[in-house]
Amino acid sequence: MKANQSRQSPAEWEESAPLLSQAVRDLPTGRHEFHKERLMAYIQQDIERDEIAAATGPARSRTRGFRPLRPVFALPAMALAVGGAVVAGTMLNGGDEGAAGVATGPALTTRLGSTTTEGVPQLLDQISLVAADEARQAVEPGQYVYIKSKSADTFVKTVDGKGSLVSHVLHERQLWKSADGTKGWLIDPAVNDSPEGETLSLPDEKGKPFEASVNGPSYDFLTTLPTDPDQLLKLIYKETKGKGNSPDQEAFGTIGDLLGESYPPADLYPALFKAAAKIPGVVVVNEAQDAIGRSGVAVARVDETSGARDEWIFDRKTHVFLGERSVQVREISGDAGVVIKPGTILYTSAVTDRAVVGGIKETPAHSG
């Protein structure tokens, strides 16, 4: 579940509006969608944050990466996003739906599952054991990580000054990323202008090179991270210091992004769950469903600033990762006075395939 996915609180949307128009004007021609895509948002976030901080002070939140991952109100090319799913800036200020190639419907909702702090370490320990047993192919130079998922997101749409809460319908998303992170391709009708998708290869039009980080990793970068849970969590806190709505929420969200749209190496994968067990405020949600309706148990944490609960959903019996979602658990007033009620699904995803392939646009079924 991120263009997300580390959020901007609803109270800050109006305050950020002047920044939005400026950011959009600064985008290179024809690349608005490029910056909406979470991966590219990840890559640009450090540079953008420095520029914003110089003009307005320290950034309060970060653009969550692709995963497709969290509350969905995001500002393109800025570190002021809320959630894993990124939508066009015009969504916040009126106008049409931009490049969105999927239909919209009423806001997604769910019944809030009950939570408990009991059994959190035990559940994450079981999940980490399953992760340790999972066969994971190493990604060699010239190969690509392929991730197919289905996702949907909710956002405020404003027309003639009147806002309403709507959602993109559930749609398929395909992502290819090279081992070193410099090449990639995205097919996502909620983001792309063309059904063929668009390149994610870098450097971009301004010549900015790719620099991997915990918030925008490549497979090669992930192989360099410590696999000791304490050291790993310490590094995540260090690298995300000053980002998001709180250090703990940012650490939780960072690990969630790695689960959704990256390919953690075999020795790192179980360490992520063991590290998550050490983050304060983590709870178990007894009942949760991913984007395609698979039921399971979730490991979750509430962002006290935004009132949204990020959930990582696992099969109840096998403890295999299914997907993620972000659910509003506290009523808030959003853009254009739109009320976002508890039970609103801000973002939801289901991973349906994750594999190593030999090239862009190649799928596992066609791999040699």
Side-chain angles (χ1 to χ4, degrees):
M1 37 166 153
K2 318 282 338 208
N4 333 254
Q5 114 245 150
S6 87
R7 301 171 178 72
Q8 182 184 24
S9 66
E12 296 168 329
W13 299 336
E14 183 175 352
E15 179 181 345
S16 301
L19 294 175
L20 174 63
S21 59
Q22 180 179 356
V24 172
R25 287 197 301 269
D26 290 342
L27 291 176
T29 303
R31 299 302 289 166
H32 186 104
E33 301 306 322
F34 173 88
H35 287 286
K36 290 195 301 175
E37 162 47 34
R38 281 170 296 189
L39 178 57
M40 295 302 95
Y42 265 163
I43 295 168
Q44 299 297 334
Q45 70 174 355
D46 289 338
I47 297 173
E48 303 293 347
R49 182 182 296 106
D50 291 342
E51 293 174 352
I52 296 168
T56 65
R60 290 162 295 194
S61 58
R62 72 179 174 90
T63 299
R64 299 280 294 277
F66 313 89
R67 144 146 128 5
L69 32 156
R70 298 144 199 99
V72 288
F73 305 93
L75 306 185
M78 297 174 63
L80 297 177
V82 228
V86 172
V87 288
T90 53
M91 296 294 189
L92 298 175
N93 293 316
D96 58 24
E97 296 182 19
V102 292
T104 57
L108 302 170
T109 60
T110 187
R111 183 175 63 84
L112 291 175
S114 61
T115 64
T116 178
T117 56
E118 295 182 5
V120 173
Q122 292 84 353
L123 175 60
L124 282 167
D125 185 60
Q126 291 174 327
I127 292 170
S128 67
L129 290 174
V130 171
D133 288 338
E134 182 178 321
R136 292 219 151 202
Q137 178 183 345
V139 186
E140 304 295 337
Q143 293 184 316
Y144 289 78
V145 172
Y146 170 75
I147 301 173
K148 182 167 71 171
S149 61
K150 288 192 174 182
S151 63
D153 57 274
T154 298
F155 55 93
V156 172
K157 180 179 180 180
T158 305
V159 178
D160 296 329
K162 184 177 181 180
S164 61
L165 200 62
V166 299
S167 294
H168 282 129
V169 298
L170 186 69
H171 57 278
E172 186 173 273
R173 173 185 173 89
Q174 297 182 82
L175 176 70
W176 290 262
K177 291 190 286 186
S178 63
D180 64 4
T182 63
K183 298 179 181 179
W185 193 266
L186 173 71
I187 299 177
D188 185 338
V191 174
N192 302 144
D193 289 308
S194 166
E196 287 75 29
E198 65 181 292
T199 181
L200 301 178
S201 300
L202 292 174
D204 66 7
E205 295 89 337
K206 294 183 178 180
K208 296 176 181 177
F210 172 69
E211 295 182 8
S213 69
V214 294
N215 290 143
S218 64
Y219 176 82
D220 290 347
F221 175 83
L222 293 177
T223 64
T224 69
L225 297 183
T227 56
D228 176 83
D230 291 308
Q231 294 180 18
L232 177 61
L233 188 59
K234 182 178 179 180
L235 182 145
I236 290 174
Y237 274 107
K238 178 181 177 181
E239 294 299 316
T240 59
K241 184 178 180 180
K243 304 174 186 177
N245 290 328
S246 74
D248 294 332
Q249 188 66 29
E250 188 69 7
F252 186 82
T254 295
I255 293 175
D257 288 343
L258 297 178
L259 300 179
E261 276 200 352
S262 77
Y263 189 77
D267 54 352
L268 178 66
Y269 194 41
L272 291 171
F273 299 113
K274 293 179 180 179
K278 300 176 181 294
I279 299 175
V282 176
V283 299
V284 172
V285 181
N286 294 318
E287 180 62 35
Q289 287 189 338
D290 69 5
I292 58 176
R294 294 179 297 190
S295 180
V297 61
V299 175
R301 194 178 191 284
V302 175
D303 186 327
E304 296 299 338
T305 300
S306 68
R309 185 172 73 197
D310 287 350
E311 302 177 351
W312 310 339
I313 305 168
F314 300 87
D315 184 276
R316 191 179 302 278
K317 294 182 179 179
T318 66
H319 295 123
V320 170
F321 177 76
L322 300 177
E324 58 187 323
R325 67 181 183 178
S326 183
V327 181
Q328 196 68 31
V329 297
R330 187 179 70 241
E331 184 172 304
I332 57 173
S333 180
D335 191 58
V338 174
V339 174
I340 305 175
K341 297 181 179 180
T344 301
I345 300 176
L346 303 175
Y347 176 79
T348 181
S349 73
V351 176
T352 57
D353 203 352
R354 193 190 310 255
V356 177
V357 297
I360 285 178
K361 297 186 181 180
E362 185 176 307
T363 63
H366 302 118
S367 297

